[in-house]
Amino acid sequence: MTSTEQAAPTANNFLRTIIEEDLKSGKHSSVVTRFPPEPNGYLHIGHAKSICINFGLARDFGGRCHLRFDDTNPAREEREYIDSIKESVRWLGFDWGEHLYYASDNFEQLYQWALFLIGQGKAYVEDLNAEEIRSYRGTLTEPGTESPYRTRSAEENLDLFSRMRAGEFPDGTRVLRAKIDMASPNISLRDPVLYRIIHAPHPHVGDAWKIYPMYDFAHGQTDAIEGITHSICTLEFESHKPLYEWFLDNLPVPARPRQYEFARLNLTYTVMSKRKLQELVQLGIVSGWDDPRMPTLVGIKRRGYTPTAVRAFCELIGVGRSDSWIDVSILEECVRAELNESAPRAMAVLRPIKLVIDNYPADQTEELQAANHPQQPDKGSRIIHFTREIWIDADDFMETPSKGFHRLTVGGEVKLRFGYIVTCTSVVRDEQGTVLELHGEYDPASREGIHTADGRKVKGVIHWVSAPHAVTAEVRLFERLFSDPNPDWGGGDYKQFLNPGSVESLSDCKLEASLAGSDAGTRYQFERMGYFRQDPKDSLPGQLVFNRIVTLRDVWSTKK
RNA sequence: AGGGGUAUAGCCAAACGGUAAGGCAACGGCCUCUGACGCCGUCAUCUCUUGGUUCGAAUCCAGGUACCCCUGCCA
């Protein structure tokens, strides 16, 4: 019995509908999908959508999903990428089990099938060079012209093709082409190239081959060999579909997979093309593929986003066939939603100003209990220290407050979270007029609640850290990499839209003492500031570096 | 002058001839020792457009319009 009867846990989409029908009609008894990256770069959030679709469909319908490296072009592929891709898929939470494949494992079979086509008079060796092939191809509106080599005998083609394989000819001198239709309105049917000569070592099969199949000649056949039932790809492959089917029709393949296309993910405020991401790395605009601002999976991971949140995001945005731009804030919301539940709270002052509480004894320290989560008592509490000198955030003080500001002001009062209500009495400045420290007084009776002695409710609660107990750390605040929602638009240089403030590193942040020996992998909510986690590369015991994963929603900052 | 796609709210998206789901955003309000979280409410007389068929159309038909993809020995 299959699990295909289980209720669909997620929103319906056209792919689920197709699969449900195929299962119901008996066209397929189970679902087999595949995620087929080319190992020529790092995976990004767009790939995550594809991974979630393919692995998710297999999971939901009780089938399986293969991880397959589409490694047909050794000129651009590397072992490093193979390893990184596997790691990212695993990080996302998916498991291909035994089903790890390489298109290159099928090279011999593909070669035999090429021979078969030649034998059938359906493929020929082309001597025209790349430029000539292009001009013979015609244009979008004009038919192409048949190559003079199109009518070579099968014997000659066989001889030439085997010599191509043997490495007798230099790169670019000949290709193998399918003989289809030079006048087809679908350009991919105008005698597409099947094999090209590349004298380069291959990351998976070494130097066994001197000729390599093109994507079109490898993909569908590989799908057939693996028994893929639903071969899901992005929209730009739609025009290749007739070619995909032509090979299945003309070759003795063992199965009949079908291709379906969906709209790739576009995200606002980011670029997704491998070329551009690579450029950002090469130009040093970001620190690497895993820079926390990058939309790569390694970047997102280092930033502190969770796989659960990324998966939730992929579910949320759905799957369709119309070009769409997803607002990056939806991704951020998914991260917040999860972290709000899971992250223990802590207090950290990012831009410290000292507040001296003049009526608090200089030699006194109180241990206060602070809940680790406001809605989850089972998460327990921790001790924070209250002393005469504390740090508060510069953003929480205004000498001349703007309208609606209900934090600390001179003469004003504010509740220190888990502590006392304090009033600011004076500001100490240096000769330049910059604020050195604040002085204030506390109300000893105000430990509980937010009411003053005369029963008024204070409107503001701010976070703070005991100065003698504070741990100094570096905190990196990340913003979107681009300041324009569509840096790719207009045909101009996307780099002109780079956000100059996409990272701000604060080196003198004051963290509560409990964070000193905390687990490096824990994601915290620094109350009122956002979610943070130690940077997995740069944070050291005694020299902590925290990354801001995402801010809290902040109505005040958007209103003021 | 070709071929293939796609058009439902600010952004996604469901609806499969029976009278426009849901999410995000936004906006009001409540709650709150995080301006967080949570909660309540509002948010398409209408589905790119023009006609047609039908008792009934986002769904079917015809004609427009807009946008995306295709002229790599990339995938």
Side-chain angles (χ1 to χ4, degrees):
Chain A
M1 117 151 213
T2 69
S3 53
T4 56
E5 293 302 308
Q6 69 190 191
T10 51
N12 212 26
N13 63 53
F14 76 101
L15 293 171
R16 303 182 68 91
T17 303
I18 288 165
I19 290 173
E20 277 163 13
E21 282 168 1
D22 288 348
L23 257 16
K24 200 166 134 196
S25 71
K27 179 177 177 184
H28 298 294
S29 56
S30 69
V31 179
V32 186
T33 57
R34 101 269 91 113
F35 172 62
E38 182 188 15
N40 71 342
Y42 290 86
L43 261 27
H44 53 62
I45 185 76
H47 294 108
K49 177 177 179 182
S50 175
I51 293 168
C52 289
I53 289 171
N54 280 293
F55 279 92
L57 251 15
R59 178 235 298 137
D60 294 343
F61 289 97
R64 64 174 198 264
C65 180
H66 299 178
L67 173 61
R68 174 164 89 228
F69 288 99
D70 220 338
D71 53 352
T72 57
N73 186 357
R76 3 196 287 175
E77 296 156 8
E78 288 171 31
R79 184 80 229 171
E80 173 194 358
Y81 297 128
I82 294 178
D83 298 334
S84 156
I85 287 168
K86 285 194 215 169
E87 197 178 315
S88 286
V89 175
R90 271 193 223 105
W91 175 75
L92 245 195
F94 294 104
D95 181 10
W96 53 87
E98 302 296 295
H99 301 285
L100 173 64
Y101 301 104
Y102 293 81
S104 56
D105 285 334
N106 303 307
F107 279 177
E108 184 59 37
Q109 174 64 270
L110 291 169
Y111 179 79
Q112 293 301 323
W113 279 336
L115 258 24
F116 180 86
L117 285 183
I118 292 171
Q120 300 275 305
K122 291 174 181 166
Y124 62 97
V125 172
E126 173 66 275
D127 288 8
L128 257 27
N129 64 37
E131 210 168 300
E132 292 164 329
I133 288 176
R134 192 180 317 127
S135 67
Y136 274 69
R137 188 148 36 219
T139 69
L140 293 177
T141 54
E142 295 159 333
T145 310
E146 295 186 352
S147 165
Y149 301 96
R150 201 176 197 257
T151 52
R152 281 217 249 240
S153 68
E155 293 65 35
E156 188 182 5
N157 280 319
L158 253 15
D159 173 61
L160 254 13
F161 188 50
S162 64
R163 289 164 63 193
M164 282 168 64
R165 174 179 186 170
E168 284 188 32
F169 311 117
D171 288 9
T173 50
R174 279 179 237 264
V175 293
L176 183 73
R177 293 230 254 172
K179 193 186 290 184
I180 304 181
D181 178 7
M182 288 306 291
S184 172
N186 181 339
I187 290 174
S188 66
L189 258 20
R190 317 240 263 230
D191 288 11
V193 172
L194 270 29
Y195 272 91
R196 72 288 217 194
I197 300 168
I198 303 176
H199 291 265
H202 185 281
H204 184 62
V205 296
D207 51 11
W209 293 85
K210 304 299 172 209
I211 54 172
Y212 291 90
M214 298 288 288
Y215 163 85
D216 288 306
F217 192 67
H219 207 91
Q221 290 93 303
T222 308
D223 284 340
I225 291 168
E226 291 181 23
I228 302 299
T229 55
H230 302 261
S231 182
I232 299 162
C233 61
T234 44
L235 251 22
E236 66 268 28
F237 290 96
E238 187 152 32
S239 59
H240 295 239
K241 192 168 183 167
L243 218 207
Y244 181 100
E245 299 191 324
W246 190 88
F247 291 125
L248 298 180
D249 286 339
N250 287 280
L251 259 11
V253 293
R256 184 68 192 216
R258 182 97 140 84
Q259 173 181 304
Y260 299 93
E261 312 83 18
F262 69 94
R264 67 178 333 136
L265 172 66
N266 295 296
L267 266 191
T268 57
Y269 297 98
T270 112
V271 295
M272 211 78 95
S273 87
K274 268 178 196 169
R275 201 208 100 227
K276 286 171 186 150
L277 295 177
Q278 184 145 40
E279 191 174 36
L280 292 172
V281 173
Q282 277 170 350
L283 264 29
I285 291 168
V286 295
S287 64
W289 288 97
D290 66 346
D291 186 295
R293 295 165 292 174
M294 289 282 272
T296 51
L297 262 21
V298 286
I300 281 172
K301 175 185 175 189
R302 181 174 175 190
R303 172 80 167 258
Y305 282 21
T306 62
T308 322
V310 175
R311 276 186 262 122
F313 168 73
C314 291
E315 291 294 342
L316 195 61
I317 59 176
V319 186
R321 287 177 57 86
S322 56
D323 296 319
S324 59
W325 285 86
I326 307 292
D327 196 315
V328 72
S329 66
I330 292 181
L331 211 207
E332 295 165 347
E333 264 314 309
C334 289
V335 176
R336 286 190 189 103
E338 182 190 349
L339 263 20
N340 177 50
E341 292 296 317
S342 65
R345 312 287 114 134
M347 293 203 285
V349 172
L350 269 26
R351 302 170 207 273
I353 311 185
K354 186 168 284 184
L355 170 60
V356 180
I357 302 164
D358 295 319
N359 63 340
Y360 195 88
D363 56 355
Q364 184 172 313
T365 295
E366 273 179 277
E367 295 192 340
L368 308 175
Q369 288 294 321
N372 290 332
H373 192 110
Q375 284 86 36
Q376 299 172 24
D378 55 299
K379 278 200 160 70
S381 63
R382 65 196 187 277
I383 285 169
I384 54 176
H385 304 277
F386 194 87
T387 52
R388 176 184 165 93
E389 297 195 352
I390 65 172
W391 298 110
I392 68 167
D393 239 302
D395 291 345
D396 287 336
F397 174 76
M398 280 185 100
E399 195 162 8
T400 48
S402 55
K403 189 163 175 285
F405 184 82
H406 49 246
R407 303 175 188 177
L408 194 61
T409 61
V410 179
E413 61 202 359
V414 78
K415 171 77 175 184
L416 296 173
R417 172 132 244 231
F418 303 119
Y420 298 95
I421 291 173
V422 291
T423 304
C424 178
T425 50
S426 65
V427 180
V428 178
R429 300 173 178 283
D430 63 13
E431 309 81 60
Q432 277 77 243
T434 53
V435 175
L436 255 25
E437 63 181 33
L438 271 19
H439 282 259
E441 296 185 347
Y442 85 118
D443 173 359
S446 62
R447 271 274 295 279
E448 303 295 326
I450 53 169
H451 292 272
T452 59
D454 54 4
R456 281 175 303 105
K457 218 178 188 181
V458 296
K459 52 272 163 214
V461 177
I462 65 172
H463 57 96
W464 55 278
V465 169
S466 164
H469 297 86
V471 177
T472 300
E474 176 181 341
V475 175
R476 296 171 183 168
L477 305 181
F478 300 108
E479 299 282 350
R480 295 164 181 174
L481 236 196
F482 294 90
S483 50
D484 188 278
N486 299 102
D488 266 332
W489 279 14
D493 183 4
Y494 70 99
K495 294 194 292 300
Q496 69 183 292
F497 298 115
L498 247 8
N499 173 9
S502 61
V503 59
E504 181 177 11
S505 192
L506 303 173
S507 56
D508 191 34
C509 303
K510 306 297 184 183
L511 316 185
E512 67 169 66
S514 75
L515 256 11
S518 64
D519 171 52
T522 302
R523 295 167 176 85
Y524 292 93
Q525 184 195 101
F526 289 173
E527 295 215 24
R528 305 205 312 128
M529 302 308 294
Y531 297 96
F532 296 79
R533 186 190 60 167
Q534 289 184 44
D535 184 87
K537 265 192 174 169
D538 297 341
S539 193
L540 266 19
Q543 204 178 318
L544 303 180
V545 178
F546 276 84
N547 290 335
R548 181 169 72 194
I549 303 166
V550 65
T551 61
L552 253 30
R553 281 188 73 226
D554 186 357
V555 178
W556 167 245
S557 79
T558 56
K559 270 192 175 155
K560 79 187 159 178

